[in-house]
């Protein structure tokens, strides 16, 4: 088990290498001229060329990447071309907001979506099932930023229950943004849970459980839901990156000073150091999340655990038999 | 067949007929298909419904009018008729979604089926690449491509298309794996058919239903993603009307003129909803057992 | 203590889907006494599994309908009693062993826990240690070492999984064990082992067994009584001798069944299978349901449902048996 985790952690490095290289190349598909952009229109050609040389922009593409990589491995990710601040300073100030929004929304989406999904599956075709399923279809189809604006219109501007933006209002500032983001995902989790549960309640082992005299609740949770956990954990893992993407958009709607605005602007301006550093941070974050998901997976499904432990069980048996 | 006198004639039902029959029995699906047809009508005949100039030309004296007799959807801050902008915007929003999904579907299918067919090491390598691809938020990849290519609609289509390939590839690889293990593939190989030929003639026709379903499910996502990017200013540039762009342009005045924001959003939501319903209905039509009634 | 352990009276079961009605079971009467083994024989689609599932009221909720019939398990009215009371009977008074062992066990729980589950459901006060011991003993009873209770289902072979299923079924010493083709999914050698084990259990527990199968050889080795099912009806019923003795009177279907299997002692050039196929359950023939395939079909058979004629315990549902046995009250026509 440990070997598996260690292998995955090691995989992060080559993956990040490939990812950063690919994104670096993508950003530089069309050439940019940071020297000009930083110094503005008034600067002379020489000044621009000078700055470009300092920044390493006159070197060929791959060499530029190599230079970045070399510096990065020594811990120097450079400064933003535009704000001239250390890139990690920028990220450090903004990442907590984005993370908070992402994780809060994820938590609530699961809390709402999963139990309701089970409810819909167990009471299939009832009024609750039909209305909840239709409602979640609506919610899943709405563009998140639109929902955010509508909520803002009603609850912040018309009724002034919550602030319309910023993070200075205490917990109230987080209600609307979280609600906006989590609603769509709750709807999606509801539908997936419902579908997984419907699948699992038709399995043979549920029939076996019934024949033992298990109550409805026991069959639903102990047997069917427990087996649905696997799909749900995968789902959560996969939706994490989309969730963060969504958070970035919501930030711009509600003026939350997270990675969103900074990231989008950095990309538009081809602020290479900033983009690369953000990429590394996010990339590592996601890969670690994926590893955690895989570990959780192994705990839930003994068949997968067996794959990871391959050989351990056999060795233990052999030892035991040898001892007898 | 029963040897008793048949009471009703037994029709040979092809899969296509069965699926269409089930699809048209679904009331929600019919509603969705009507809506989608209306939207496609808008896209194709936009110029005939209302001239493009009305969506673009400035008309300051008429600015910020609420929906009424003269301007059904009101006007925006530049006095342009919102109705005209929405109609022409449908072209951008929908076509963008369709083309991006086409890119995803084609590349994803090729990748997925090839990986499944080749198996072994090649499959492993492709899967690793896909895993890395999916490790980064697709939004980020899309943004990176836009950063590289610049802003605008064709760039957006390429970016979204490219970013969505791994999702497709994964699903189709899973579907193709089911087909590739069948014996008729082996027989085809024994008869001397080449890899690409087998994939083209045997694998793909058998997973067409999956491709169709996944594509339909994806289109609404790509349309919304396109609208989001335009909303952020990275997609359609002014004065091009695109529903997301129209929305972002209305932000300055939306507190007192909510129609600028609510109307484009409604169109986006209804489009996405209808496509989602159709996607679900397709899934049910191809395999009614999944509905849980069996 | 009721007189008979299991009594099924005039049971009809329909499956309703998408506008079609599948008439799976069409008026069967069945009884099982204590300590008796009944073999329910028939081809695929005859309605055997449906009958078995109805005994514990385990038919699929949305599609299955029981328009008529009564079932009594040790006097308990199965079809009308409350779910809560019924659950007390499931697993303890009567239990089931299903056909496919590969999918009938929950993959995420240990095998010992799954056996323990049924014990705990019916004996709530049992202690952890006692439970562990009991589970170990039951596993030994079915021929699996006790320490394997800590393993997961995927660590067992098909034959062993089926033994685990049987262990679950007998854990609470049920009075009736319903086994739905328990050996069909297994190799012949494993089949023999499992059947032998079931024989031993039968003696140990003195339970009644309802064995559903399409294999006449298994029936001959195992059962006291036999019921032959066709198109949702019991066309013949009797003791083992009644059914297997070729000199006695039989339903044409039974004759056909025996004719279809190779005989070890006689030499034949060709087997004589029954012409045609089982009727479409959504579109059953009028009159006797077997008439389209019956070599002795008379005009009467095409229009009138035959009554059941009996001689002793032997019952045959055929017009031709009119000269052989007596009839009981005419079967009630199915109320639509």
């Amino acid at each position: 088990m440990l070997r598996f985790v260690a292998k995955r952690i090691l995989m992060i490095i080559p993956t990040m290498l490939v990812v950063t290289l690919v994104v670096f190349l993508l950003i530089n598909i069309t050439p940019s001229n940071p020297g000009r952009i930083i110094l503005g229109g008034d600067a002379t050609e020489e000044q621009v060329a000078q700055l470009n040389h300092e920044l390493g922009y006159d070197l060929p593409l791959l060499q530029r990447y190599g230079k970045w990589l070399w510096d990065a491995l020594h811990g120097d990710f450079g400064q933003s071309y535009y704000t001239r601040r250390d890139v990690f300073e920028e990220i450090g100030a903004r990442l907590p907001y984005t993370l908070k929004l992402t994780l809060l929304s994820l938590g609530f989406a699961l809390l709402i979506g999963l139990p309701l999904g089970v409810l819909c599956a167990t009471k299939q075709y009832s009024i609750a099932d039909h209305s909840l399923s239709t409602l979640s279809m609506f919610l899943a189809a709405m563009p998140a930023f639109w929902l955010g604006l509508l909520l803002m219109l009603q609850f912040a501007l018309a009724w002034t229950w919550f602030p319309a933006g910023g993070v200075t209002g205490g917990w109230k500032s987080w209600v609307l943004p979280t609600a906006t983001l989590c609603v769509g995902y709750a709807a999606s989790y509801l539908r997936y849970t419902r579908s997984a549960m419907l699948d699992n309640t038709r399995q043979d082992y549920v029939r076996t459980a019934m024949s033992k005299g298990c109550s409805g609740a026991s069959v639903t949770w102990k047997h069917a839901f427990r087996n649905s956990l696997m799909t749900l954990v995968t789902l959560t893992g996969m939706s994490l990156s989309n969730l963060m993407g969504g958070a970035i958009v919501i930030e711009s709607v509600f003026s939350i000073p997270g990675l969103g605005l900074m990231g989008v602007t950095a990309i538009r301006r081809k602020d290479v150091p900033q983009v690369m550093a953000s990429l590394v941070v996010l990339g590592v974050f996601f890969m670690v999340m994926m590893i955690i998901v895989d570990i959780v997976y192994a705990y839930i499904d003994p068949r997968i655990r067996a794959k990871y432990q391959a050989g351990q069980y056999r060795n233990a048996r052999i030892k035991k038999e040898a001892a007898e | 067949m029963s040897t008793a006198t048949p009471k009703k004639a037994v029709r040979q039902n092809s899969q296509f007929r069965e699926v269409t029959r089930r699809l048209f029995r679904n009331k929600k699906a019919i509603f969705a298909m009507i809506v989608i047809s209306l939207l496609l009508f808008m896209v194709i005949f936009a110029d005939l419904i209302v001239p493009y100039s009305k969506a673009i030309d400035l008309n300051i004296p008429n600015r910020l009018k609420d929906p009424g007799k003269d301007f059904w959807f009101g006007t925006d801050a530049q006095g342009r008729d919102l109705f005209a902008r929405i109609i022409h915007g449908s072209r951008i929003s929908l076509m963008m979604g369709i083309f991006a999904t086409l890119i995803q579907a084609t590349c994803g299918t090729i990748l997925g089926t090839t990986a499944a067919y080749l198996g072994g090491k090649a499959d492993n390598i492709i899967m690793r690449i896909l895993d890395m691809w999916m490790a980064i938020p697709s939004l980020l990849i899309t943004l990176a491509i836009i950063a590289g290519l610049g802003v605008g609609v064709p760039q957006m289509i390429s970016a979204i298309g490219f970013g969505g390939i791994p999702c497709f590839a994964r699903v189709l690889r899973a579907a193709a794996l089911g087909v590739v293990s069948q014996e008729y593939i082996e027989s085809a190989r024994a008869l001397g058919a080449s890899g690409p030929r087998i994939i083209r003639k045997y694998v793909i026709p058998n997973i067409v239903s999956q491709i169709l379903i996944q594509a339909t499910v994806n289109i609404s996502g790509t349309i919304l993603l396109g609208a989001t990017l335009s909303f952020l200013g990275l997609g359609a540039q002014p004065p091009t009307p695109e529903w997301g762009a129209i929305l972002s342009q209305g932000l300055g005045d939306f507190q007192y003129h909510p129609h600028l924001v609510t109307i484009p959003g409604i169109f986006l939501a209804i489009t996405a909803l209808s496509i989602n319903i159709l996607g679900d209905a397709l899934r049910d039509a191809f395999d009614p057992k999944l509905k849980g009634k069996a | 203590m009721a007189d008979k352990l299991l009594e099924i009276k005039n049971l009809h079961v329909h499956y309703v889907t998408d506008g079609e009605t599948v008439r799976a079971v069409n008026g069967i009467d069945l009884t099982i006494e204590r300590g008796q083994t009944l073999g329910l024989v028939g081809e695929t689609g005859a309605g055997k599994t449906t009958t078995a599932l109805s005994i514990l009221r385990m038919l699929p909720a949305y599609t299955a309908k029981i328009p008529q019939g009564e079932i009594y398990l040790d006097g308990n009215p199965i079809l009308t009693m409350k779910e809560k009371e019924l659950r007390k009977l499931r697993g303890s008074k009567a239990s089931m062993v299903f056909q496919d062992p590969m999918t009938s066990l929950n993959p995420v729980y240990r095998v010992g826990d799954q056996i323990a589950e049924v014990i705990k459901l019916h004996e709530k006060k049992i202690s952890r240690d006692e439970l562990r011991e009991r589970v170990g003993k039951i596993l030994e009873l079915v021929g699996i070492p006790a320490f394997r209770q800590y393993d997961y289902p995927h660590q067992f072979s098909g034959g062993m999984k089926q033994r685990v299923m049987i262990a679950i079924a007998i854990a609470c010493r049920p009075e009736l064990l319903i086994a739905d083709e328990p050996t069909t999914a297994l190799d012949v050698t494993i089949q023999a082992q499992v059947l032998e084990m079931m024989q031993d259990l039968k003696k140990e527990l003195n339970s009644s067994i309802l064995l559903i199968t399409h294999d006449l050889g298994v029936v001959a080795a195992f059962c006291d009584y036999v019921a032959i099912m066709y198109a949702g009806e019991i066309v013949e019923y009797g003791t083992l001798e009644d059914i297997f003795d070729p000199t006695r009177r039989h339903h044409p279907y039974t004759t056909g069944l025996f004719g279809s299997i190779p005989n070890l002692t006689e030499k034949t050039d060709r087997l004589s299978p029954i012409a045609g196929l089982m009727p479409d359950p959504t579109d059953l023939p009028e009159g006797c349901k077997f008439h389209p395939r019956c070599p002795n079909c008379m005009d009467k058979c095409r229009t009138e449902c035959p009554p059941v004629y009996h001689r002793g315990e032997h019952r045959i549902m055929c017009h031709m048996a009119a000269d052989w046995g007596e009839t009981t009250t005419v079967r009630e026509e199915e109320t639509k």
Side-chain angles (χ1 to χ4, degrees):
Chain A
M1 187 65 201
L2 227 55
R3 251 200 345 207
F4 168 76
V5 174
K7 224 175 28 162
R8 289 294 296 266
I9 296 184
L10 281 173
M11 276 290 286
I12 296 186
I13 301 175
T15 314
M16 288 314 297
L17 276 173
V18 172
V19 165
T20 46
L21 178 61
V22 167
V23 176
F24 185 86
L25 293 173
L26 284 175
I27 294 187
N28 286 295
I29 295 179
T30 54
S32 71
N33 192 344
R36 169 62 63 193
I37 302 179
I38 296 174
L39 295 176
D42 299 329
T44 63
E45 278 302 325
E46 283 152 6
Q47 288 170 313
V48 171
Q50 168 80 347
L51 188 53
N52 276 338
H53 179 73
E54 273 175 38
L55 294 171
Y57 244 80
D58 44 357
L59 295 167
L61 205 61
L62 282 174
Q63 256 194 287
R64 253 191 278 153
Y65 177 74
K67 182 169 179 300
W68 176 84
L69 190 59
W70 182 251
D71 291 335
L73 289 174
H74 285 91
D76 175 18
F77 281 80
Q79 303 160 321
S80 157
Y81 284 161
Y82 298 97
T83 68
R84 295 313 208 126
R85 288 163 63 191
D86 178 55
V87 285
F88 281 124
E89 233 183 272
E90 284 282 352
I91 297 175
R94 291 164 171 273
L95 186 63
Y97 290 112
T98 310
L99 276 182
K100 188 167 171 178
L101 185 57
T102 310
L103 293 173
L104 268 179
S105 309
L106 179 65
F108 279 106
L110 286 173
L111 220 63
I112 301 175
L114 255 54
L116 285 182
V118 173
L119 177 73
C120 283
T122 47
K123 303 231 180 297
Q124 204 183 7
Y125 307 129
S126 66
I127 303 180
D129 179 29
H130 264 128
S131 44
L132 277 173
S133 298
T134 322
L135 184 63
S136 40
M137 266 202 132
F138 270 108
L139 293 174
M142 282 208 256
F145 61 91
W146 186 56
L147 179 63
L149 287 170
L150 289 181
L151 287 179
M152 193 198 289
L153 197 62
Q154 189 60 50
F155 294 103
L157 299 174
W159 287 353
T160 61
W161 286 1
F162 302 103
V167 286
T168 47
W171 64 269
K172 283 200 186 163
S173 305
W174 294 96
V175 172
L176 288 183
T178 312
T180 312
L181 194 55
C182 97
V183 144
Y185 284 93
S188 150
Y189 292 153
L190 190 154
R191 302 182 70 216
Y192 275 107
T193 308
R194 178 180 178 275
S195 148
M197 285 295 290
L198 285 179
D199 253 348
N200 278 314
T201 38
R202 274 160 235 304
Q203 294 293 327
D204 284 344
Y205 55 77
V206 165
R207 192 177 51 176
T208 309
M210 269 185 75
S211 76
K212 292 186 203 171
C214 282
S215 66
S218 167
V219 164
T220 306
W221 293 99
K222 233 182 116 184
H223 292 269
F225 184 72
R226 181 70 176 67
N227 273 282
S228 313
L229 271 184
M230 278 137 356
T231 2
L232 294 176
V233 167
T234 323
L235 189 67
T236 315
M238 288 201 315
S239 62
L240 205 60
S241 67
N242 288 326
L243 203 65
M244 206 175 235
I248 288 176
V249 176
I250 300 293
E251 281 172 17
S252 75
V253 170
F254 286 95
S255 319
I256 296 179
L259 288 177
L261 195 60
M262 176 206 82
V264 171
T265 337
I267 290 182
R268 282 195 86 162
R269 302 197 288 200
K270 299 200 194 218
D271 188 348
V272 175
Q274 190 67 52
V275 172
M276 299 298 274
S278 315
L279 195 59
V280 169
V281 167
L282 283 179
V284 170
F285 173 72
F286 282 116
M287 300 215 75
V288 169
M289 289 307 296
M290 284 294 138
I291 296 178
I292 295 181
V293 165
D294 275 340
I295 296 179
V296 170
Y297 220 77
Y299 266 108
I300 303 180
D301 189 345
R303 291 169 289 192
I304 304 220
R305 208 184 310 166
K307 263 208 288 182
Y308 295 158
Q309 290 173 326
Q312 259 178 292
Y313 177 67
R314 200 167 20 103
N315 294 334
R317 284 285 301 282
I318 295 174
K319 271 194 233 160
K320 184 178 157 84
E321 267 142 41
E324 283 162 4
Chain B
M1 305 300 126
S2 170
T3 52
T5 348
K7 294 217 173 90
K8 45 185 191 273
V10 176
R11 257 176 105 197
Q12 273 301 350
N13 280 329
S14 72
Q15 193 198 30
F16 179 71
R17 217 183 249 132
E18 271 296 311
V19 169
T20 355
R21 182 183 69 97
R22 278 188 222 125
L23 200 62
F24 278 93
R25 278 228 250 140
N26 186 340
K27 288 196 274 272
K28 281 206 283 206
I30 296 187
F31 166 77
M33 286 192 281
I34 294 178
V35 172
I36 295 178
S37 327
L38 283 174
L39 287 168
L40 287 174
F41 180 80
M42 256 206 285
V43 169
I44 302 175
F45 295 109
D47 290 314
L48 296 176
I49 303 177
V50 77
Y52 190 59
S53 53
K54 279 194 125 177
I56 302 291
D57 297 339
L58 290 115
N59 195 346
I60 302 291
N62 275 324
R63 68 191 300 265
L64 291 179
K65 284 213 153 56
D66 286 331
K69 219 163 19 96
D70 300 322
F71 300 103
W72 294 348
F73 286 171
T75 60
D76 68 358
Q78 270 82 16
R80 295 175 286 205
D81 181 8
L82 199 63
F83 179 73
R85 295 206 61 152
I86 297 273
I87 298 282
H88 284 277
S90 70
R91 274 201 171 155
I92 316 279
S93 298
L94 261 58
M95 294 317 287
M96 189 251 335
I98 295 178
F99 281 124
T101 308
L102 238 104
I103 298 178
Q104 291 176 353
T106 340
C107 301
T109 310
I110 297 178
L111 256 176
T113 48
T114 316
Y117 179 73
L118 291 177
K121 266 199 144 175
D123 183 24
N124 254 325
I125 297 177
I126 297 186
M127 279 310 281
R128 287 280 140 266
I129 297 178
L130 286 180
D131 275 342
M132 288 190 219
W133 204 329
M134 289 188 90
I136 331 165
S138 63
L139 192 68
L140 213 62
I141 298 189
T142 320
L143 290 176
I145 299 179
I146 293 183
L149 297 174
V151 297
V153 174
Q155 292 89 335
M156 199 167 52
I157 296 180
S158 324
I160 298 179
F162 193 70
I165 293 178
C167 174
F168 242 102
R170 273 204 123 140
V171 171
L172 278 143
R173 172 180 170 275
L177 279 177
V179 170
V180 157
S181 58
Q182 303 277 357
E183 283 170 349
Y184 56 82
I185 300 286
E186 249 189 83
S187 348
R189 217 182 300 177
L191 288 173
S194 70
R197 186 182 169 82
I198 294 183
I199 294 181
R200 199 168 34 98
K201 280 200 84 178
Y202 295 99
V203 179
I204 293 189
N206 276 296
I207 55 174
V208 154
S209 63
Q210 282 275 46
I211 299 180
L212 209 60
I213 294 175
Q214 189 64 31
T216 318
V217 163
N218 263 33
I219 290 192
S220 66
T222 46
I223 293 181
L224 288 181
L225 185 56
T228 310
L229 287 173
S230 304
F231 175 77
L232 291 173
L234 299 171
Q237 299 296 303
T240 317
E242 191 273 341
W243 291 342
I246 298 176
L247 231 151
S248 81
Q249 276 152 29
L251 276 183
D253 307 288
F254 91 106
Q255 187 170 2
Y256 298 107
H257 302 275
H259 67 274
L260 293 172
V261 155
T262 46
I263 295 183
I266 292 178
F267 272 85
L268 277 170
I270 294 195
T271 310
L273 184 64
S274 311
I275 298 178
N276 283 347
I277 293 180
L278 187 62
D280 268 1
L282 269 178
R283 204 184 275 138
D284 284 343
F286 274 108
D287 191 353
K289 278 197 295 237
L290 291 176
K291 255 164 103 173
K293 281 209 167 129
Chain C
M1 282 274 257
D3 186 26
K4 301 192 206 299
L5 181 57
L6 176 70
E7 251 192 291
I8 303 180
K9 291 191 191 156
N10 195 24
L11 180 67
H12 291 260
V13 180
H14 296 174
Y15 292 110
V16 183
T17 50
D18 246 356
E20 283 187 331
T21 309
V22 174
R23 294 172 43 200
V25 177
N26 303 301
I28 61 168
D29 296 288
L30 212 56
T31 52
I32 303 184
E33 312 269 354
R34 290 173 205 287
Q36 215 179 65
T37 304
L38 172 65
L40 188 56
V41 182
E43 295 171 62
T44 316
K48 315 187 294 284
T49 305
T50 309
T51 310
L53 287 174
S54 346
I55 297 176
L56 286 174
R57 217 165 84 190
M58 283 181 42
L59 296 164
Y62 296 108
T63 47
K65 311 251 176 283
I66 301 183
Q68 265 188 301
E70 293 168 330
I71 302 180
Y72 296 97
L73 181 62
D74 198 15
N76 296 291
I78 295 290
L79 297 178
T80 52
M81 60 196 293
K82 282 196 175 340
E83 178 82 17
K84 231 176 125 184
E85 297 299 315
L86 183 57
R87 263 188 263 136
K88 294 204 195 128
L89 300 179
R90 286 189 193 140
S92 63
K93 189 164 285 275
S95 59
M96 274 188 83
V97 177
F98 298 99
Q99 190 171 339
D100 190 355
M102 302 306 281
T103 50
S104 294
L105 288 171
N106 193 326
V108 297
Y109 291 118
R110 292 179 216 270
V111 146
D113 291 332
Q114 300 196 41
I115 302 176
E117 188 181 14
V118 69
I119 301 178
K120 261 199 293 194
L121 277 169
H122 299 285
E123 293 172 41
K124 301 214 175 16
K125 297 289 168 88
I126 191 168
S127 75
R128 279 249 297 257
D129 294 321
E130 216 192 307
L131 199 55
R132 213 178 313 144
E133 233 192 274
R134 277 268 291 266
V135 170
K137 281 216 199 92
I138 297 176
L139 279 175
E140 306 260 329
L141 210 62
V142 296
I144 297 179
F147 73 85
R148 297 216 63 185
Q149 59 177 288
Y150 301 110
D151 287 340
Y152 288 95
H154 67 267
Q155 294 169 287
F156 290 85
S157 70
M160 295 183 87
K161 277 205 257 256
Q162 191 62 306
R163 292 188 206 213
V164 170
M165 286 298 298
I166 295 175
I168 295 177
I170 59 167
C172 295
R173 308 188 84 93
E175 291 174 46
L176 173 65
L177 180 64
I178 307 170
D180 188 355
E181 306 213 39
T183 53
T184 308
L186 306 170
D187 300 331
V188 189
T189 43
I190 310 291
Q191 209 176 80
Q193 282 177 22
V194 172
L195 282 174
E196 206 185 298
M197 182 197 66
M198 284 177 74
Q199 286 275 30
D200 296 333
L201 285 176
K202 191 170 79 161
K203 288 193 207 110
E204 266 251 2
L205 304 170
N206 198 30
S207 333
S208 310
I209 301 185
L210 173 61
L211 180 66
I212 298 177
T213 179
H214 58 258
D215 187 339
L216 289 167
V218 169
V219 172
F222 205 76
C223 304
D224 308 320
Y225 286 85
V226 186
I228 310 235
M229 241 180 131
Y230 183 82
E233 296 172 324
I234 295 187
V235 296
E236 187 167 346
Y237 171 90
T239 62
L240 200 57
E241 286 91 27
D242 285 334
I243 303 291
F244 276 74
D245 188 349
T247 63
R248 301 191 197 192
R249 184 69 82 97
H250 292 296
H251 188 280
Y253 180 60
T254 316
T255 322
L257 276 183
F258 279 95
S260 317
I261 42 181
N263 193 322
L264 209 57
T265 51
E266 274 177 35
K267 185 167 138 83
T268 21
D269 288 325
R270 299 191 112 206
L271 298 171
S272 42
I274 315 172
L277 292 170
M278 194 167 292
D280 179 358
T282 58
D283 190 16
L284 292 170
E286 301 256 329
C288 169
K289 297 187 175 52
F290 188 64
H291 87 251
R293 301 169 78 184
C294 185
N296 315 327
C297 179
M298 309 183 292
D299 284 323
K300 198 181 193 190
C301 306
R302 288 183 230 272
T303 50
E304 261 182 63
C305 283
V308 179
Y309 294 97
H310 63 101
R311 194 195 258 193
E313 280 182 301
H314 195 176
R315 305 204 303 254
I316 299 180
M317 189 173 91
C318 179
H319 287 298
M320 306 267 305
D323 61 330
W324 162 87
E326 299 153 32
T327 170
T328 52
T329 44
V330 179
R331 244 179 43 188
E332 303 157 30
E333 252 317 304
E334 179 189 328
T335 43
K336 291 254 170 11

